[in-house]
Amino acid sequence: RQRPWYQTAVQHGQPTWSEIYPDISTKALAITAVKPIYDANQQLRGVLGSDFIFSQVNEFLQRLKIGQSGQVFIIERSGMLVATSTADPTYKIVGDQTYRIKAAASDSYLIRLSAQHLEQQFRNWQQIQQPQGFDFDIKGARQFLQVTPLRDRWGLDWLIVVVVPEADFMGQIQATTTVTVLLCVLSAVVATIIGLRTSRWIVKPILHLNQAAKELANGHWSQKLPIQRADEIGELADSFSSMTEQLKASFETLEQKVRDRTEGLAQANRELENKNTLIRHVFGRYLSNEVVTNLLETPDGLALGGERRKITILTSDLRGFTATAERLQPEEVIKILNFYLEYMADVITQYDGTIDEFMGDGILALFGAPTLRTDDTERAIACAIAMQQAMVPVNAQIQAWGFAPLEMGIGVHTGEVVVGNLGSEKRTKYGVVGSPVNLTYRIESCTVGGQILVSEAVMSEVGDLVQVLTTQQVQMKGIPQPIKLYEIGGIGGTHHLCLPQLVEQYRDLTEAIPVRYVTLESKHIGDRCYDAQIIQLSDREALIRQSAIASVQTRPDPLTNLKLSFGNATAPSQQEDFYAKVLPKPAPDDSFYIHFTALSPAIRHYLNQLQQLAS
């Protein structure tokens, strides 16, 4: 039970790979696939393990034919050798101890120098996340190198490196190139000699024609060519003289027509400029300036189709606005939405984003289409923070009108999509298609009011430039593996933006408030109602304790949307519902935290009264 593979299984509690360790009998390097076995009470009963000896991998790699003298080796992220295609050792035994060898210290000079080159390129092996190719010199000889990550879902994370000298496959090419160059030089010499002899016979009469053409261009219409030949050059001279007479007559007529036509074109140009100004003004209300310019100034701007491109996608949505809108008049809803969307559109334009679509209170914005920039992801995060900051003046005006303040959630993701003109010849829309768009919407649906969540793909682009408040693993529908999401609190660099950090002050209620809740899946309501109690309150959140009966059931998963109603006589009408999202915060076994997403004025007033009593 003290062996490394056994301890690894106990620590992980699930199928995984052990760390590489020396085999107890042979002292050679080995790794074990392990799986812990638990009984019905989740008590560890034992560990299943299957050993894998790397000497077998070495034998396999040594049989590979990689050019004439190419080598392949496998290393861990720590830089330690796992296996090689050479006979050089990957470990050494001193006494009873086995010591592993780093790739940068290998006896094989090709492996050693390749590892040292990679260390200079990346400084940290963890930065290699996708296959990459390089070339470098060893004593003036060029080497080609390919490094590829090797991962699996049980924790394996190695790097496979292949290095091949250029000389292995360039010898024949260089010989062929030399022969080709010699043939080209010989052909050029022969062609030059023939060309000079031919040009002497042709150039002289052509020079006469050239001089006559220059005189004709200067307005001298009477030209006589001293060329008396019966061949094609002589016929060309006769045709030139005839053409001169015809041009003289045509030019006089054309001058008058040009004067008349110029005046008409000037008037038409003025009309076109006025129409273009009107078109840009009208289109600009529906599309960004970049999209309008692409449509009007690019020859294929209106052509249907798209191109594959890596862009950053931003989606935003008002939390609980649908429920809020049901209590307002249609004119009031339009008034609030137009004011909110105008504010957000100005912010997105300020950060060079393209607004692809307004969907009710939701916004889809693109960074990298139609114009691709190097800082698209950075500007998208800065834009998201600026949009959250803009909610302060937006809510100030909305409250001045007498309406409840709004909260907005934002999701940001980077991925490869197809952007371009979609639709038909009769109706076309500039848009974006691809699974990253759907994933961005799902990331946004995980947010609560005032929150910005981004994906790992976004973090890989911006690195340490942003401030991360929290991280969470989320299992999304249709995606087999959990997605890691990062909550953004600020961004540095040239932007220097940050969100205010609101700390929720929870107060214990003097008396637990009974409530009932059902779960919401998309637009569908769950088929079972649960009893619970509110035992703590803050300005935007609450701690819910399940009843004795409900506690038998599994607590709602984090980020689940709930519809709730009060169950006591002193609360607002039991017919009036309010909405919340389950938070991924630690809570007692029979409890969970929620963040309110939609409250009516009466329920908000009632909750404020409860907080005052508690304080």
Side-chain angles (χ1 to χ4, degrees):
R1 297 187 181 91
Q2 300 307 314
R3 294 295 293 162
W5 61 271
Y6 191 101
Q7 293 297 321
T8 298
V10 174
Q11 291 172 3
H12 285 75
Q14 62 182 1
T16 187
W17 289 97
S18 73
E19 296 291 333
I20 296 176
Y21 65 92
D23 182 68
I24 195 169
S25 59
T26 65
K27 304 300 182 182
L29 298 184
I31 191 171
T32 302
V34 296
K35 177 180 181 182
I37 304 300
Y38 298 91
D39 59 18
N41 296 321
Q42 294 301 306
Q43 297 297 317
L44 180 68
R45 304 299 298 169
V47 174
L48 298 179
S50 177
D51 295 340
F52 190 83
I53 308 300
F54 285 108
S55 59
Q56 300 169 352
V57 180
N58 290 331
E59 294 172 1
F60 167 76
L61 295 180
Q62 289 169 12
R63 292 195 301 268
L64 294 179
K65 181 68 174 176
I66 305 174
Q68 297 296 324
S69 59
Q71 301 293 343
V72 60
F73 59 97
I74 303 172
I75 58 175
E76 291 185 295
R77 293 286 181 174
S78 62
M80 291 294 184
L81 280 171
V82 176
T84 73
S85 61
T86 71
D88 299 293
T90 60
Y91 63 93
K92 60 182 178 179
I93 300 175
V94 180
D96 293 332
Q97 298 294 322
T98 299
Y99 296 92
R100 299 182 60 188
I101 298 175
K102 279 195 171 185
S106 173
D107 292 342
S108 169
Y109 83 98
L110 191 57
I111 294 177
R112 182 175 65 254
L113 295 180
S114 298
Q116 292 174 0
H117 177 73
L118 286 175
E119 288 180 344
Q120 293 174 357
Q121 287 288 325
F122 293 99
R123 303 294 182 186
N124 187 341
W125 297 101
Q126 298 294 335
Q127 295 182 6
I128 305 175
Q129 299 297 324
Q130 60 185 2
Q132 299 190 49
F134 305 93
D135 62 88
F136 65 100
D137 291 343
I138 298 178
K139 297 180 179 180
R142 191 180 185 188
Q143 313 292 322
F144 292 99
L145 183 147
Q146 173 82 16
V147 57
T148 305
L150 172 64
R151 301 187 185 93
D152 67 10
R153 60 191 180 96
W154 295 285
L156 198 67
D157 190 6
W158 296 342
L159 298 173
I160 300 175
V161 183
V162 179
V163 58
V164 183
E166 182 187 46
D168 282 7
F169 53 87
M170 289 298 293
Q172 183 61 40
I173 295 176
Q174 292 173 350
T176 303
T177 301
T178 302
V179 174
T180 302
V181 170
L182 292 176
L183 290 176
C184 290
V185 171
L186 179 60
S187 300
V189 171
V190 173
T192 301
I193 295 174
I194 296 174
L196 289 174
R197 294 178 62 88
T198 304
S199 62
R200 290 178 181 177
W201 182 72
I202 296 176
V203 164
K204 188 174 182 180
I206 292 179
L207 290 175
H208 289 300
L209 284 172
N210 179 52
Q211 183 62 35
K214 290 180 179 179
E215 294 294 330
L216 183 62
N218 291 329
H220 301 152
W221 299 103
S222 300
Q223 297 292 324
K224 293 184 179 180
L225 296 174
I227 300 176
Q228 303 295 327
R229 293 173 59 164
D231 57 7
E232 290 81 359
I233 299 296
E235 293 179 358
L236 179 61
D238 294 338
S239 299
F240 184 85
S241 300
S242 176
M243 179 190 67
T244 301
E245 296 297 327
Q246 295 176 6
L247 284 175
K248 181 179 179 180
S250 299
F251 183 77
E252 294 173 350
T253 304
L254 184 60
E255 279 186 325
Q256 182 60 42
K257 291 183 178 180
V258 168
R259 286 192 290 269
D260 297 339
R261 186 58 176 168
T262 300
E263 184 178 351
L265 287 175
Q267 178 63 30
N269 283 335
R270 289 191 292 270
E271 295 177 357
L272 284 175
E273 288 178 359
N274 293 335
K275 290 180 179 179
N276 282 336
T277 301
L278 177 62
I279 290 173
R280 286 183 178 272
H281 176 72
V282 173
F283 275 22
R285 299 187 63 185
Y286 298 93
L287 303 170
S288 68
N289 289 334
E290 291 180 340
V291 175
V292 173
T293 300
N294 183 64
L295 292 175
L296 296 180
E297 299 182 4
T298 304
D300 298 329
L302 290 173
L304 294 177
E307 62 173 327
R308 186 178 294 273
R309 181 184 298 180
K310 183 179 180 182
I311 68 171
T312 299
I313 307 163
L314 181 151
T315 62
S316 69
D317 190 66
L318 294 177
R319 306 290 80 166
F321 185 74
T322 301
T324 301
E326 292 176 353
R327 297 189 295 271
L328 303 176
Q329 296 297 322
E331 295 80 6
E332 295 173 333
V333 175
I334 293 298
K335 179 180 180 180
I336 294 173
L337 273 181
N338 285 343
F339 179 72
Y340 159 75
L341 293 175
E342 181 179 5
Y343 235 100
M344 295 302 118
D346 289 343
V347 174
I348 294 171
T349 302
Q350 178 185 349
Y351 287 90
D352 295 324
T354 298
I355 299 175
D356 183 71
E357 199 166 3
F358 289 138
M359 296 160 289
D361 57 308
I363 302 173
L364 172 61
L366 311 177
F367 291 82
T371 302
L372 190 64
R373 297 179 175 88
T374 57
D375 62 341
D376 287 325
T377 306
E378 177 183 335
R379 287 185 292 101
I381 294 182
C383 179
I385 297 173
M387 290 171 67
Q388 291 289 16
Q389 292 177 340
M391 291 302 293
V392 175
V394 169
N395 279 326
Q397 180 60 63
I398 290 176
Q399 290 178 294
W401 288 337
F403 304 116
L406 305 175
E407 287 189 326
M408 175 179 64
I410 297 177
V412 183
H413 177 53
T414 295
E416 192 175 74
V417 297
V418 175
V419 295
N421 296 321
L422 311 174
S424 65
E425 294 294 337
K426 295 183 178 180
R427 182 173 178 83
T428 303
K429 173 185 177 298
Y430 185 85
V432 57
V433 175
S435 59
V437 180
N438 297 330
L439 181 55
T440 308
Y441 279 114
R442 292 179 180 177
I443 293 174
E444 176 268 315
S445 69
C446 295
T447 62
V448 297
Q451 195 175 43
I452 301 171
L453 293 180
V454 306
S455 65
E456 285 190 278
V458 172
M459 291 299 298
S460 67
E461 295 285 338
V462 296
D464 299 331
L465 193 63
V466 299
Q467 175 191 5
V468 178
L469 301 180
T470 61
T471 62
Q472 54 184 298
Q473 293 280 354
V474 179
Q475 182 65 59
M476 295 184 179
K477 184 178 180 181
I479 300 178
Q481 299 298 328
I483 300 298
K484 189 173 185 180
L485 300 181
Y486 300 79
E487 181 182 1
I488 301 301
I491 185 171
T494 59
H495 303 285
H496 291 293
L497 298 174
C498 64
L499 295 176
Q501 302 303 310
L502 301 178
V503 179
E504 297 294 330
Q505 299 293 333
Y506 289 94
R507 298 182 177 89
D508 294 324
L509 298 182
T510 56
E511 181 181 350
I513 305 301
V515 293
R516 288 185 172 184
Y517 70 86
V518 293
T519 60
L520 300 176
E521 179 68 27
S522 184
K523 301 298 183 180
H524 304 289
I525 300 176
D527 56 0
R528 182 171 180 179
C529 181
Y530 298 94
D531 292 320
Q533 296 174 325
I534 299 178
I535 58 175
Q536 288 184 357
L537 268 178
S538 69
D539 290 337
R540 303 185 303 164
E541 298 176 1
L543 177 60
I544 302 293
R545 182 176 61 200
Q546 294 177 299
S547 68
I549 297 177
S551 63
V552 178
Q553 304 295 328
T554 303
R555 288 185 301 180
D557 294 330
L559 306 179
T560 300
N561 292 309
L562 304 179
K563 183 174 79 168
L564 305 96
S565 61
F566 290 108
N568 58 336
T570 60
S573 171
Q574 296 185 8
Q575 301 300 320
E576 189 168 7
D577 299 320
F578 59 103
Y579 298 84
K581 182 184 288 290
V582 179
L583 296 175
K585 285 185 177 182
D589 292 339
D590 61 344
S591 306
F592 56 90
Y593 286 96
I594 63 172
H595 183 101
F596 299 117
T597 56
L599 301 174
S600 68
I603 291 179
R604 168 53 67 188
H605 178 70
Y606 176 65
L607 293 176
N608 290 338
Q609 288 181 328
L610 294 177
Q611 287 193 74
Q612 293 174 3
L613 291 174
S615 61

